[in-house]
């Protein structure tokens, strides 16, 4: 499959974004705070404001000290503001001593004494009292006092962040996210503590929404290009092979390029015919007929039906079929191994790497000479950051099928990522030379050019990367993801926003079910400040999500964009834009 979404273990982000892809043809997973990444990358290299915990009490709340370091006493003839400051200072002493109830009484006195026009001081007193309530785990009171502080000082970072933490405790994730988003913008995305809270809440919101949406979603068949690319990643798979001559009518055997008619009333053979016609919507029902009649091709029909259940995002329906095939001791070992590969890939999508590894290992045990087992297990090992083992699996695949250009290219990519992340320039060059060898020996393998282009982009060899993407488009003009990658390259290389968006729009024109294109478009629109447009794009991607995990990620991006619209509305705050 050419120009696929990059395959990589969970690591850093930023352009170029090495995004996690769960095996061939499956969805990407960005860091959940990806909507904020442009701002982080723009400030990269500048000294941050620190990652440590904020100390309390905060703001201008520390006691006023005299020339000898002694805290000044409250004077009888001082102004109301001075008396309020004195009460606050006394409260700070109680706070540091851990006497929070006494501190609260002093801060309450300070609030009562402070003139209402002294908004900055009054906001500090409320914020300090909130800090004391926080120590007592009185989250409602924390929210109330922080809200008072923010009303008086709308850009009070410490009050906003303290309220965000209290809202999280009260399970009010939506308002928590809005507050922490405001904090991130005010801190120019340089404080790790607030970024981590935003990331945590986004993940929680995404999972909650995806769980509800996914169980009620309408299954959707992917585009024909996606389906063909998926099946092309298997070379030793019975169900993806064309109808055999014995399965066709005699008068059709010599009709090259035409769809064959099947010789018997077999639901499975009809399903295979529909595959050749790219009439994918009828395949599941025909397989069901074969299974219900306990026909000759029951095992094949179970596997084909399970495969299409996976493609439309119905893993719960696919698993019983896969289980049946795997447990059919008399079935063709190729069918059982293929079912194990697909169930293992499904487990990886569900973030169950141990079960996934078990299935791939079992497949290798029952069908030791199956190149697909090693090819797909190699991709699993990359996701698990076990690069040496991944390379070993790719080598085994290549040994069994020397003409496997895909395995050759992915081996180079694995070696490249290992060298790049390990900061080993000599090994990086060896891997880059390996890519050159792959595209020379396999000039028709679009995936080789695509993976090489990603590595070249990493090395900031943008012109050559662009040439590689052009090769991909020449070989596979209907592959939408190539246009997305080429569009992202224009943004990084030439800062050509118009060309980048045109290419991504072209991807959507080619395949209006390309969730990667909608997601990327949404992320760019966030960076441009077009938040309503971004939310529209993310919602389109959500409706196309092929797994609950992908849907959770997309909801997180959408929620982050929505939070920024609310922060802009409430506080007039907007992050830097492209």
């Amino acid at each position: 499959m050419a120009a696929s979404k990059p395959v990589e273990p969970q690591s850093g982000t930023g352009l170029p974004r090495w995004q996690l892809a769960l095996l061939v043809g499956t969805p990407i997973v960005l860091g959940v705070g990806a909507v904020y990444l442009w701002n982080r990358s723009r400030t990269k290299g500048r000294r941050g404001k620190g990652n440590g915990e904020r100390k309390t009490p905060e703001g201008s709340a520390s006691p006023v000290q005299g020339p000898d370091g002694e805290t000044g006493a409250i004077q009888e003839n001082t102004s109301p503001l001075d008396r309020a400051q004195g009460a606050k200072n006394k409260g700070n002493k109680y706070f540091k001593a851990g006497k929070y109830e006494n501190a609260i009484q002093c801060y309450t006195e300070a609030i009562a004494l402070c003139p209402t026009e002294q908004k900055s001081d009054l906001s500090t007193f409320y914020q300090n009292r909130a800090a004391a309530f926080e120590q007592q785990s009185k989250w409602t009171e924390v929210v109330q006092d922080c809200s008072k502080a923010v009303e008086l000082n709308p850009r009070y970072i410490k009050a906003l962040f303290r309220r965000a933490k209290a809202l999280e405790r009260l399970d009010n994730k939506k308002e928590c996210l809005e507050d922490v988003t405001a904090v991130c913008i005010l801190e120019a995305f340089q404080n790790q503590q607030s970024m981590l809270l935003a990331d945590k809440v986004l993940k929680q919101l995404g999972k909650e929404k995806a769980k509800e949406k996914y169980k009620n979603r309408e299954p959707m068949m992917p585009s024909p290009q996606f389906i063909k690319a998926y099946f092309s990643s298997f070379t030793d798979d019975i169900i993806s092979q064309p109808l055999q001559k014995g399965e066709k009518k005699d008068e059709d055997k010599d009709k090259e390029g035409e769809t064959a008619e099947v010789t018997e009333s077999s639901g499975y053979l009809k399903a295979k015919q529909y595959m050749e016609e790219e009439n994918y919507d009828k395949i599941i029902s025909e397989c069901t007929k074969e299974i219900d009649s306990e026909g000759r091709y029951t095992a094949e029909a179970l596997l084909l039906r399970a495969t299409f259940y996976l493609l439309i995002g119905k893993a719960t329906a696919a698993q019983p079929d896969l289980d049946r095939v795997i447990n059919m001791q008399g079935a063709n070992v190729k069918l059982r191994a293929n079912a194990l590969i697909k169930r293992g890939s499904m487990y990886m999508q569900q973030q169950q790497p141990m079960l996934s590894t078990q299935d791939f290992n079992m497949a290798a045990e029952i069908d030791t000479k199956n190149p697909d087992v090693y090819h797909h297990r190699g991709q699993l090992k990359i996701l698990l950051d076990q690069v040496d083992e991944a390379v070993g699996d790719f080598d085994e695949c290549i040994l069994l099928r020397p003409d496997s250009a895909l395995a050759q290219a992915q081996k180079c990519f694995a070696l490249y990522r290992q060298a790049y992340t390990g900061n080993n320039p000599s090994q990086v060059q060896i891997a880059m030379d390996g890519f050159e060898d792959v595209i020379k020996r396999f000039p028709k393998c679009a995936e080789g050019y695509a993976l090489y282009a990603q590595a070249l982009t990493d090395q900031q060899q943008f012109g050559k990367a662009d040439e590689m993407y052009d090769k991909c488009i020449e070989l596979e003009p209907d592959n939408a993801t190539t246009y997305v990658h080429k569009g992202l390259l224009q943004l990084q290389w030439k800062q050509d926003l118009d060309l980048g968006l045109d290419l991504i729009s072209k991807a959507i024109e080619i395949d209006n079910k390309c969730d990667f294109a909608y997601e990327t478009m949404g992320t760019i629109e966030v960076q441009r400040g077009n938040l309503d447009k971004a939310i529209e794009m993310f919602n389109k991607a959500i409706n196309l999500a092929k797994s609950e995990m992908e849907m959770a990620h997309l909801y997180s991006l959408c929620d982050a964009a929505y939070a920024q619209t609310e922060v802009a509305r409430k506080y007039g705050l907007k992050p830097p834009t492209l």
Side-chain angles (χ1 to χ4, degrees):
M1 182 176 70
S4 61
K5 301 166 187 178
V7 178
E8 188 203 351
Q10 299 180 42
S11 58
T13 48
L15 290 173
R17 298 173 302 173
W18 296 97
Q19 301 153 332
L20 171 64
L22 293 179
L23 309 180
V24 174
T26 53
I28 61 169
V29 179
L30 291 168
V32 175
V35 169
Y36 301 134
L37 288 179
W38 172 251
N39 307 290
R40 299 181 72 181
S41 65
R42 292 183 69 165
T43 56
K44 187 177 180 180
R46 300 200 308 228
R47 185 178 182 87
K49 295 184 179 180
N51 301 329
E53 288 283 337
R54 296 171 172 87
K55 302 301 180 183
T56 54
E58 301 181 17
S60 53
S62 51
V64 178
Q65 297 186 334
D68 298 323
E70 295 295 325
T71 302
I74 302 176
Q75 300 296 320
E76 291 183 4
N77 296 322
T78 56
S79 68
L81 177 59
D82 288 338
R83 292 199 297 274
Q85 290 285 0
K88 177 211 66 174
N89 292 342
K90 187 177 178 183
N92 285 352
K93 293 177 70 175
Y94 281 126
F95 186 100
K96 291 180 179 180
K99 298 179 179 180
Y100 303 117
E101 196 58 46
N102 296 109
I104 289 167
Q105 292 174 7
C106 290
Y107 296 140
T108 301
E109 182 183 352
I111 291 166
L113 288 168
C114 186
T116 55
E117 65 271 15
Q118 299 296 326
K119 293 185 178 181
S120 177
D121 296 285
L122 193 54
S123 67
T124 298
F125 303 154
Y126 276 113
Q127 198 281 144
N128 280 13
R129 191 169 70 175
F133 281 131
E134 183 180 51
Q135 294 298 318
Q136 297 180 327
S137 300
K138 294 181 178 179
W139 309 115
T140 301
E141 287 83 351
V142 173
V143 170
Q144 290 171 348
D145 273 4
C146 286
S147 296
K148 288 286 189 180
V150 171
E151 285 175 18
L152 294 161
N153 181 1
R155 300 195 176 192
Y156 197 167
I157 292 175
K158 293 167 185 175
L160 284 164
F161 189 67
R162 177 159 281 114
R163 187 170 68 178
K165 291 187 292 181
L167 287 166
E168 183 196 13
R169 293 280 192 161
L170 293 170
D171 201 33
N172 187 339
K173 298 183 185 69
K174 178 181 177 293
E175 293 186 20
C176 168
L177 180 60
E178 291 172 12
D179 277 354
V180 77
T181 297
V183 171
C184 288
I185 294 171
L186 288 166
E187 293 180 328
F189 301 88
Q190 293 186 72
N191 190 300
Q192 187 72 6
Q193 192 183 3
S194 50
M195 290 296 296
L196 286 173
L197 179 58
D199 190 70
K200 177 184 176 183
V201 176
L202 282 167
K203 285 179 179 176
Q204 291 172 343
L205 280 170
K207 286 180 180 178
E208 289 174 5
K209 292 183 177 181
K211 185 175 182 179
E212 184 63 27
K213 169 86 171 180
Y214 194 75
K215 68 182 181 183
N216 298 315
R217 69 189 287 271
E218 286 294 324
M220 184 179 295
M221 191 66 68
S223 66
Q225 192 279 332
F226 184 98
I227 293 171
K228 287 184 285 185
Y230 175 81
F231 278 109
S232 73
S233 68
F234 297 93
T235 60
D236 207 359
D237 175 17
I238 293 171
I239 65 168
S240 63
Q241 300 305 313
L243 285 167
Q244 300 300 307
K245 288 184 178 180
E247 299 168 340
K248 301 178 182 179
K249 285 185 177 180
D250 290 338
E251 60 266 31
D252 289 316
K253 292 179 182 178
D254 297 324
K255 294 181 180 179
E256 292 191 15
E258 296 184 22
T259 301
E261 297 291 338
V262 300
T263 59
E264 57 184 279
S265 179
S266 163
Y268 171 70
L269 293 180
K270 285 182 181 177
K272 288 288 293 287
Q273 182 177 323
Y274 286 137
M275 277 190 70
E276 292 188 6
E277 296 172 354
E278 297 182 15
N279 193 353
Y280 300 119
D281 288 325
K282 295 184 178 180
I283 288 174
I284 289 176
S285 62
E286 291 300 331
C287 286
T288 300
K289 291 177 184 177
E290 181 79 21
I291 295 162
D292 290 346
S293 66
E294 299 182 356
R296 172 183 169 189
Y297 299 104
T298 296
E300 289 87 345
L302 282 165
L303 181 56
L304 185 58
R305 186 172 73 173
T307 302
F308 273 87
Y309 277 144
L310 289 172
L311 284 168
I312 64 175
K314 293 184 68 174
T316 53
Q319 183 160 350
D321 286 354
L322 295 172
D323 292 345
R324 282 184 65 183
V325 177
I326 291 164
N327 293 323
M328 283 182 174
Q329 297 301 319
N332 188 314
V333 71
K334 298 292 182 188
L335 294 174
R336 295 176 63 212
N338 189 267
L340 282 163
I341 292 170
K342 288 170 180 172
R343 192 174 72 176
S345 300
M346 181 192 72
Y347 283 142
M348 194 62 198
Q349 274 194 320
Q350 296 170 349
Q351 296 182 298
Q352 300 185 71
M354 289 184 64
L355 291 176
S356 180
T357 300
Q358 288 174 10
D359 273 1
F360 278 105
N361 291 345
M362 187 186 301
E365 289 173 10
I366 68 171
D367 195 6
T368 58
K369 301 300 182 182
N370 187 331
D372 290 343
V373 174
Y374 303 102
H375 176 199
H376 288 268
R377 189 171 70 175
Q379 295 183 68
L380 168 69
K381 296 298 184 184
I382 291 177
L383 296 179
L384 298 176
D385 206 17
Q386 299 170 4
V387 179
D388 289 338
E389 293 182 32
V391 170
D393 275 339
F394 289 137
D395 281 335
E396 188 65 28
C397 176
I398 293 164
L399 182 65
L400 292 167
R401 187 177 285 276
D403 62 347
S404 177
L406 192 56
Q408 302 266 10
Q410 290 179 340
K411 175 187 173 182
C412 285
F413 186 73
L415 290 171
Y416 169 74
R417 292 305 301 161
Q418 184 182 49
Y420 179 75
T421 56
N423 196 25
N424 190 328
S426 62
Q427 291 300 313
V428 166
Q429 189 56 53
I430 290 171
M432 300 299 274
D433 292 342
F435 277 121
E436 288 285 350
D437 182 60
V438 168
I439 64 174
K440 183 178 180 180
R441 288 192 292 127
F442 303 101
K444 300 297 184 183
C445 177
E447 184 80 357
Y449 294 106
L451 293 174
Y452 190 21
Q454 292 174 31
L456 287 164
T457 303
D458 232 8
Q459 296 299 308
Q460 298 190 5
Q461 296 182 40
F462 301 126
K464 192 168 184 180
D466 199 44
E467 292 174 13
M468 294 300 105
Y469 285 131
D470 286 340
K471 283 283 189 181
C472 291
I473 292 171
E474 181 183 331
L475 290 166
E476 294 185 351
D478 61 344
N479 192 324
T481 58
T482 309
Y483 290 89
V484 180
H485 284 296
K486 184 175 169 68
L488 287 169
L489 176 64
Q490 308 314 307
L491 294 176
Q492 187 179 3
W493 177 21
K494 299 177 179 177
Q495 291 77 53
D496 192 333
L497 188 61
D498 291 336
L499 179 56
L501 289 172
D502 285 346
L503 285 163
I504 298 168
S505 297
K506 176 70 173 177
I508 294 171
E509 180 184 328
I510 291 170
D511 181 2
N512 64 4
K513 294 181 180 179
C514 182
D515 56 317
F516 182 36
Y518 290 116
E519 177 188 352
T520 305
M521 184 78 83
T523 303
I524 292 171
E525 293 295 357
V526 167
Q527 295 166 3
R528 296 176 72 196
N530 298 331
L531 297 174
D532 290 337
K533 180 69 172 177
I535 291 168
E536 178 189 345
M537 293 295 104
F538 290 139
N539 279 322
K540 287 185 177 182
I542 286 167
N543 290 328
L544 294 167
K546 300 175 187 69
S547 72
E548 187 176 325
M549 188 173 70
E550 181 187 13
M551 189 177 282
H553 156 68
L554 291 165
Y555 265 121
S556 296
L557 297 182
C558 192
D559 286 338
Y562 181 76
Q564 290 188 49
T565 66
E566 289 299 289
V567 167
R569 181 180 63 83
K570 290 180 179 179
Y571 307 115
L573 291 172
K574 294 184 180 180
T577 58
L578 285 169

